[in-house]
Amino acid sequence: MSLRLRLFKQRQRFAAAHFTIYDNSVERLHGHNYTVEATFHSDVKNLKGGLIVPFDVPKEALIKVCDSMHERVLLPTMSEHVKINKLGEQFEVHVEVGSVKKFYSFPSEDVVLVPCNNISTENMAVVVAAALTENLPDSITSSASMVSVTVSEGSGSEVTYDCAL
């Protein structure tokens, strides 16, 4: 018998700007109002004190991740098409995809460097899941076997990443 605990609080959201790279093209800089939810999966026999997880620990961890990206520009650090240089208090960003060449300059306080090759909803689900799971205490990872992290960039467009604990 399995149980699922779904956390989807109002504060688990962030607004951020980004561009996405497609085949020989790059989108214009634009933004989304992202929402994030996490579902913890457990077998009934693994419950600790009748709980899959205490709500407050993962809820606060998700809010912390969302707050860190809120009202920021998300930049991929692992893309062969994006070169990021920090000059003083600015990030200079050169994007080159096929014949498309773009240059941006952002105040460093407005930027989040994201460890991925492209800012897509798919990658954001993986990044948020990694940030969430790296700080979970052993008590949670011993009772829950998996967490599913869903990132939505708007109504009708979401990605869920299942991560073993």
Side-chain angles (χ1 to χ4, degrees), residues 30-125:
H30 65 283
H32 295 286
N33 292 312
Y34 292 94
T35 58
V36 177
E37 67 178 61
T39 302
F40 288 85
H41 304 259
S42 180
D43 192 287
V44 171
K45 67 180 185 238
N46 293 338
L47 296 181
K48 306 289 187 221
L51 301 172
I52 297 174
V53 298
F55 288 15
D56 60 335
V57 175
K59 180 178 72 172
E60 290 304 316
L62 281 172
I63 290 169
K64 182 178 176 183
V65 171
C66 291
D67 286 351
S68 74
M69 292 188 271
H70 186 58
E71 296 181 345
R72 301 288 194 274
V73 179
L74 308 177
L75 297 175
T77 60
M78 300 166 66
S79 174
E80 64 183 282
H81 302 289
V82 180
K83 304 300 178 231
I84 303 168
N85 298 308
K86 187 163 191 232
L87 296 172
E89 295 301 312
Q90 292 288 118
F91 279 109
E92 291 191 346
V93 183
H94 297 268
V95 182
E96 190 170 335
V97 181
S99 63
V100 178
K101 294 181 182 180
K102 294 187 176 191
F103 171 77
Y104 302 100
S105 181
F106 301 109
S108 58
E109 68 182 3
D110 292 348
V111 170
V112 173
L113 299 175
V114 183
C116 65
N117 64 352
N118 202 2
I119 304 298
S120 63
T121 309
E122 294 85 346
N123 280 336
M124 292 309 297

Side-chain angles (χ1 to χ4, degrees), residues 5 10 16 22 48 58 71:
L5 167 66
Q10 182 68 22
Y22 293 102
K48 306 289 187 221
E71 296 181 345

